[in-house]
Amino acid sequence: MAEERKIVMEEVEAVDAPPKARVETPEPEPRQRDYLDGFLAAKPAAAPVGEPGGDLYESVIEALKEIYDPEIPVNIYDLGLIYGVDVNEGHVMVTMTLTTPHCPVAESMPGEIEMRVGAVPGVGDAEVNLVWDPPWDPAKMSDEAKLELGML
């Protein structure tokens, strides 16, 4: 049969502390300059007022995105009806088209755009240039508009 093991306990009053390990540390190397410091401290370059990315230009685009085509539930900007926005010292020229020359809002839409864009703070006067060349086609719509209409 197997031998029986006995656990023996011994009581002591104190034990010597184990010796501490000595680790020699070399002098720390100088920390490399963080490459993000300059990037994080840099301020973005100010965009010219009338250029894409400028505050006035972006405000005009936001105003255009609030105007919806009455027959299609998508704003005229995402629909691709706006061909260009030129901002020059407070004067805004919007070049646009309509889905067809026989569009029922052909007479009222340019006036509504002039009013909405003219109401943007910083715009002195707005002008709409209605063009038919190149003609509008569904390929000019943004992905958001295509998604809204179930074309994606």
Side-chain angles (χ1 to χ4, degrees), residues 8-15:
V8 180
M9 289 181 32
E10 178 182 346
E11 290 187 30
V12 293
E13 291 197 20
V15 176

Side-chain angles (χ1 to χ4, degrees), residues 57-111:
Y57 180 86
E58 295 302 323
S59 297
V60 169
I61 297 300
E62 289 303 314
L64 292 171
K65 286 184 176 183
E66 292 175 1
I67 303 170
Y68 283 79
D69 186 293
E71 297 173 324
I72 306 170
V74 177
N75 70 65
I76 62 171
Y77 189 82
D78 288 334
L79 203 52
L81 297 178
I82 305 298
Y83 287 170
V85 175
D86 296 317
V87 180
N88 187 9
E89 297 178 10
H91 176 78
V92 177
M93 169 67 88
V94 178
T95 304
M96 66 167 295
T97 192
L98 296 171
T99 53
T100 67
H102 305 293
C103 183
V105 294
E107 292 182 23
S108 62
M109 182 69 74

Side-chain angles (χ1 to χ4, degrees), residues 124-145:
D125 88 293
E127 186 179 339
V128 175
N129 184 18
L130 190 59
V131 297
W132 301 108
D133 190 38
W136 178 85
D137 65 271
K140 293 182 178 7
M141 294 190 319
S142 70
D143 288 342
E144 291 83 12

Side-chain angles (χ1 to χ4, degrees), residues 1-8:
M1 292 201 111
E3 266 183 50
E4 231 179 272
R5 289 189 176 181
K6 291 186 180 180
I7 298 176
V8 180

